[in-house]
Amino acid sequence: MRKQIVAGNWKMNCTLPEGKKLASEVIHMVEDEVNNNAEVVLIPPFIHLTGIFNLIGSSSKISLGAQNCHQSQSGAYTGEVSAAMLVSCGATYVILGHSERREFFGETDELLAEKVSFALENNLTPIFCCGERLEVREAGDHESLVDTQVEKALFGLSEDQIRKVVIAYEPVWAIGTGKTASAEQAQEMHAFIREQLSAKYSREVADSISILYGGSVKPENAKEIFSQPDVDGGLIGGASLKSRDFTNIIKAFD
Ligand code: 13P
């Protein structure tokens, strides 16, 4: 059985007090109300990691993630954060290749391949993001674009390594726009990615990898999207900043 995951990517939002309040609310609501086995991942900005980790405590349902990491172990890279540092703050996940990192910080598939293998070496689970921009979808090239992103960043990994990766399909045109991909569009791309994994590795490996959908997931549409056979959860942006909405999205698995 694949792991079901609902991850909240806070992006560059929340001061530390705001983040602690949000995390505390989510932790309590999840403990009191959620009746499923989905893993919940809180992904705050770097500097809140320790503070949020202390709030999570020993909760077995909630994990901590970071939004990025550098591709080197340490060194003269002012302003950067290493995978080992994230682990030392309690993170077990790291988002890599988010479309905002690709667009605003020039991250390429080649760089992401380095980051993914570095994260794995440090025992961090990468949440590798892929997804097409609107013009690519309109031209009908979305599958070939995602094919290239996945192949270039992930297919240098061994079978043991790829099993430890989580993939998030986030169509860029659905991020923060309120325009969600339809459940059919999500399922179609998730099935495509799983076929790609099966062809490169094996059916068994492909069936073991969690593929999350991201892009305007809300309490109102989560159930329909999560009920698709190849959708194993969500990577949530805006709605993860509201404890009630985020918890209701997690409850879509109940
Ligand atoms: P929204 O849920 O705000 O569309 O953001 C999705 C996202 O980018 C999560 O990483």
Side-chain angles (χ1 to χ4, degrees):
M1 265 277 279
R2 291 192 285 274
K3 214 190 248 188
Q4 294 175 323
I5 299 169
V6 181
N9 174 11
W10 295 4
K11 307 191 180 183
M12 197 178 75
N13 292 294
C14 295
T15 61
L16 182 57
E18 288 164 352
K20 282 184 168 175
K21 180 169 178 289
L22 172 61
S24 301
E25 288 169 4
V26 170
I27 291 163
H28 286 118
M29 287 181 192
V30 167
E31 268 166 20
D32 295 347
E33 301 174 24
V34 172
N35 297 310
N36 60 56
N37 292 318
E39 183 169 353
V40 177
V41 190
L42 300 181
I43 311 184
F46 289 138
I47 59 168
H48 303 346
L49 284 169
T50 302
I52 307 296
F53 181 67
N54 291 337
L55 291 174
I56 293 173
S58 57
S59 163
S60 58
K61 282 199 155 174
I62 304 185
S63 305
L64 187 68
Q67 298 175 17
N68 179 34
C69 71
H70 195 263
Q71 65 278 14
S72 310
Q73 195 64 18
S74 62
Y77 301 103
T78 302
E80 289 293 322
V81 173
S82 75
M85 291 172 193
L86 299 179
V87 171
S88 74
C89 294
T92 50
Y93 287 87
V94 62
I95 297 176
L96 292 174
H98 193 282
S99 61
E100 290 149 17
R101 299 289 320 169
R102 294 176 187 262
E103 182 177 352
F104 303 128
F105 302 95
E107 297 200 357
T108 61
D109 293 321
E110 291 74 15
L111 174 72
L112 294 168
E114 284 183 56
K115 291 193 176 198
V116 167
S117 60
F118 223 82
L120 287 168
E121 268 177 45
N122 284 277
N123 290 322
L124 272 178
T125 299
I127 301 178
F128 172 75
C129 300
C130 56
E132 78 286 356
R133 302 170 60 83
L134 184 61
E135 59 271 23
V136 174
R137 174 153 290 258
E138 284 174 348
D141 294 333
H142 43 292
E143 288 188 347
S144 101
L145 189 276
V146 169
D147 186 55
T148 305
Q149 290 176 327
V150 170
E151 192 202 319
K152 284 194 172 167
L154 300 183
F155 282 3
L157 298 175
S158 70
E159 190 178 307
D160 279 352
Q161 288 174 314
I162 193 86
R163 282 180 193 277
K164 296 180 186 139
V165 173
V166 171
I167 296 175
Y169 169 56
E170 297 205 309
V172 180
W173 46 271
I175 296 178
T177 58
K179 212 200 259 180
T180 324
S182 67
E184 294 71 33
Q185 285 172 320
Q187 167 56 25
E188 195 177 51
M189 184 60 90
H190 285 224
F192 173 78
I193 294 168
R194 210 177 294 289
E195 271 315 308
Q196 220 192 327
L197 292 166
S198 173
K200 167 72 183 173
Y201 296 94
S202 69
R203 170 56 50 195
E204 192 265 315
V205 168
D207 284 343
S208 72
I209 294 176
S210 299
I211 307 179
L212 316 183
Y213 169 80
S216 297
V217 178
K218 303 181 218 47
E220 300 77 47
N221 58 26
K223 214 175 186 75
E224 196 193 352
I225 295 171
F226 293 175
S227 67
Q228 301 301 311
D230 286 293
V231 178
D232 305 306
L235 183 54
I236 320 299
S240 75
L241 299 172
K242 296 185 190 133
S243 52
R244 173 46 61 202
D245 284 1
F246 188 55
T247 307
N248 284 342
I249 291 171
I250 301 161
K251 285 160 79 173
F253 277 124
D254 280 1

